[in-house]
Amino acid sequence: MKNSLSSHRLVLLLSFSLVLFLNTELSSLASARATENNSSKVYIVYLGEREHDNPELVTASHHQMLESLHESKEEAHNSMIYSYQHGFSGFAALLTSSQAKKISEHPSVIHVIPNRILNLKTTRTWDLLGLSQVPTSFSSSSPSSSSVKGLLNDTNMGSEAIIGLLDTGIWPESEVFNDQGFGPIPKRWRGKCKSGKDFNATIHCNKKLIGAKYYVKGLMAELGTRTFISKEFKSNRDAAGHGTHTATIAAGSFVANASFHGLAQGTVRGGAPRARIASYKVCWHFIGCSVADMWKAYDDAIHDGVDVLSVSIGGHVPESSEVDQVAYVAPFHAVAKGIPVVAAAGNDGPGAQSVVNVAPWFLTVAATTLDRSFPTKITLGNNQTFYAESLFTGPDITTGLAFLESRSDNSTDVKGKTLLVFGKPLSQESVATAVILAQNVPDETYPYILTSYEIGADILQYIRTTRSPTVRISAATTLTGFPEAAKVAVFSSRGPNSVSPAILKPDIAAPGVNILAALSPLDPDSHKGFGLLSGTSMSTPVVSGIIALLKCLHPDWSPAAIRSALVTTAWRTSKSGEPIFAVGSNKKLADPFDYGGGLVNPESAADPGLVYDMGIKDYISYMCSAGYNDTSISRVLGKKTNCPYPEPSILDINLPSITIPNLDQEVTLTRSVTNVGPKNSVYKAVVEPPLGITLTVYPTTLVFDSADKKVLSFTVTAKTSHKVNTGYFFGSLTWTDGVHDVRIPVSVQTKIITKP
């Protein structure tokens, strides 16, 4: 199918990013190597906060622990893969299961967890989000700061921000990484570029790409091979294209007249086009991303001085709790040191409880469409005309038209024809010229012409009533604006949170469908260095770029304050004023489990009025409620910490949302807000209660009447009138001063407890 389609350039809509987010078979394969007790595999030994400021002393202590497991120092040193020595303390090593059990009993060890292999999970974007005050004329495709307005102008387009990306690396020759007009690299930067295969640090790094490292030791040890990965570069050079694409979305420089074979034509740039990029290559083409490698990248990024980390990587549901989920611990240390970690919600929608990266310190991003489509005209031999959607760029083709009765039907001649398929592709697609895929919910993971069941049924009627049916497929065109509107994408993973149901996930949504950005020229789906990809992998760097701008404007804001600003100002309606919908088995109004607070609104997030802030104390409360013991929390934080008695309620964690998964009669919870607006402000509560739920806010007015009075608390009492168990109903709580509307989503499920 691929070869025949490529001749007509009928290309992938979504599948590239999803292939990168795809299978965990390699993880299973790698794990199978350790079925016998005496075989070694990669384990991560987590020790919490560092006990020494000197990284060399930290590493020496790691070697000493390993020496207790081996017969010689040489064996101990050879078994170590990484020493985590900057942001936290721990190491990755090759251990047998008995060695792992023995070291887990060491009093300094918090967790010993087997390594895992995770998977990877734009032109019109910034117009849709109102962050598009771009120049009318270009000088080398790069505008002056005086020609832009709003948040871009106020932050000099993010020139002092450093965005770290954990991904597949960078294709450094791409135009989007040019540094023309850039000032000096921020003095606080302590990272570096590392040379390797076809990557020269001196030549390929500049004032734009200021950091480039690669991490593969954990993956190679996990796979148990010394032969390097085929079709890959042992360097930061990007063979897959995914990392180049996400870096473009977050911080790409201006490139005019970019397109994909004429589709989506316009100026490509990142959310923070003058921000600096630090690329940490932890994911490898068609294999995945080793958690041991990711930990070392987090460790280095904390040391290097990034301002935000963008992580388009995730696992699959069911996820274990944060207590056991080793992949969550390193991001916690980044957030604790003031670095927001933006993570993909996953591409396993639209089913409920499919969202990943659900720890409360992640800012988890769902994906929406743009207000743009690529209509494709289908003309049947009887002159009936339909419009589907594809990335088919021509020239127009006319072929015979066939339909297969079943997957086992080998009697129908489909060679050289256009094949009509319902539901999912069939094996015979490989000899067809093109495929019209009719689905209840068009799933853009397939490289076909996508249409609905209704249109598919009309085409089928024509086939069955015509002796020699034919079809003409015209090249797709680009349609922007009305009547198209943003909607939550069908693939975007949904809540509620399967690990901690009281923690709303996802947090926010951003465009992630058919985003135009740079690709590796090795990618067959690229055109002149650019391509259209889809996934929460793409929506994540949209938010990362916006956060880079916010960090420039508000350098003292914590990661939690930034999340709050994004969530409380998000759009719940399209530009037309109509509600945002979510695409699923049935198209419905989007709710917090689809898009968190809503579609990200960058300009409003710069001035939110109030924020729901969180610090270490709040995360301690969360850990206590989630099951960490005092000793573990103390080691994570590097200081003695005791959980209070009774343990804190998870409902009181100061999130910019309220989620009550098991309301039985009545519950009262607490929130605090910090005034980041005018000193003398008065806010009044406006409640939209979920169906059958009474929400009582006290006090109903918050008065900030002095510079010292910046933080005020309030309570919310939720009471159900339902007499039976229900699903979730949704509402909101808004604090308004007439200028700022600080809105948080409210999700409540009645679950009446009956005793036998």
Side-chain angles (χ1 to χ4, degrees), residues 426-737:
L426 307 177
S427 59
Q428 290 92 333
E429 68 188 40
S430 59
V431 296
T433 294
V435 173
I436 299 173
L437 183 59
Q439 296 180 304
N440 179 28
V441 182
D443 181 351
E444 295 160 316
T445 60
Y446 299 115
Y448 309 125
I449 298 164
L450 302 176
T451 191
S452 65
Y453 272 152
E454 182 180 0
I455 291 176
D458 288 337
I459 296 173
L460 179 59
Q461 176 68 14
Y462 163 70
I463 293 172
R464 285 177 166 169
T465 57
T466 305
R467 183 180 298 275
S468 300
T470 61
V471 63
R472 182 175 181 82
I473 300 172
S474 303
T477 58
T478 303
L479 177 66
T480 58
F482 302 138
E484 294 298 320
K487 53 188 177 290
V488 179
V490 63
F491 61 79
S492 186
S493 292
R494 310 298 215 266
N497 185 333
S498 63
V499 176
S500 298
I503 306 297
L504 176 65
K505 292 291 173 178
D507 294 293
I508 197 75
V513 175
N514 289 332
I515 306 299
L516 183 69
L519 282 174
S520 162
L522 300 179
D523 188 331
D525 294 323
S526 69
H527 171 68
K528 295 183 179 180
F530 291 90
L532 292 159
L533 300 184
S534 300
T536 53
S537 281
M538 282 66 249
S539 58
T540 296
V542 170
V543 174
S544 301
I546 294 167
I547 289 177
L549 299 178
L550 294 176
K551 288 277 282 188
C552 290
L553 192 65
H554 302 291
D556 57 331
W557 280 10
S558 70
I562 290 172
R563 170 172 56 186
S564 174
L566 293 171
V567 171
T568 61
T569 60
W571 283 303
R572 295 190 299 170
T573 59
S574 64
K575 285 185 175 181
S576 65
E578 296 182 29
I580 293 174
F581 279 79
V583 181
S585 56
N586 291 300
K587 197 172 183 179
K588 68 178 185 67
L589 290 177
D591 60 50
F593 294 154
D594 300 314
Y595 63 6
L599 177 62
V600 65
N601 179 351
E603 294 289 350
S604 293
D607 180 25
L610 305 175
V611 295
Y612 292 77
D613 206 356
M614 290 174 64
I616 293 297
K617 182 179 178 182
D618 299 276
Y619 294 123
I620 291 172
S621 294
Y622 174 76
M623 290 180 191
C624 291
S625 67
Y628 278 87
N629 59 43
D630 294 349
T631 303
S632 294
I633 295 173
S634 298
R635 291 204 183 109
V636 168
L637 301 176
K639 59 183 179 181
K640 184 172 177 57
T641 305
N642 294 314
C643 288
Y645 182 81
E647 72 178 30
S649 168
I650 198 169
L651 298 179
D652 289 330
I653 307 301
N654 204 44
L655 294 165
S657 60
I658 294 172
T659 307
I660 306 174
N662 49 5
L663 180 60
D664 180 12
Q665 297 183 358
E666 182 177 312
V667 69
T668 298
L669 53 91
T670 302
R671 289 289 186 275
S672 297
V673 286
T674 303
N675 182 20
V676 294
K679 293 179 182 178
N680 296 304
S681 300
V682 178
Y683 284 83
K684 295 186 180 298
V686 178
V687 175
E688 294 180 26
L691 180 67
I693 305 297
T694 301
L695 295 180
T696 305
V697 180
Y698 181 81
T700 57
T701 301
L702 299 176
V703 180
F704 299 90
D705 54 11
S706 69
D708 297 329
K709 198 173 184 181
K710 288 187 175 181
V711 181
L712 293 175
S713 297
F714 61 91
T715 62
V716 178
T717 300
K719 186 175 182 179
T720 182
S721 62
H722 295 288
K723 304 301 182 185
V724 297
N725 293 337
T726 70
Y728 279 94
F729 291 104
F730 306 99
S732 65
L733 166 61
T734 303
W735 290 101
T736 181
D737 64 352

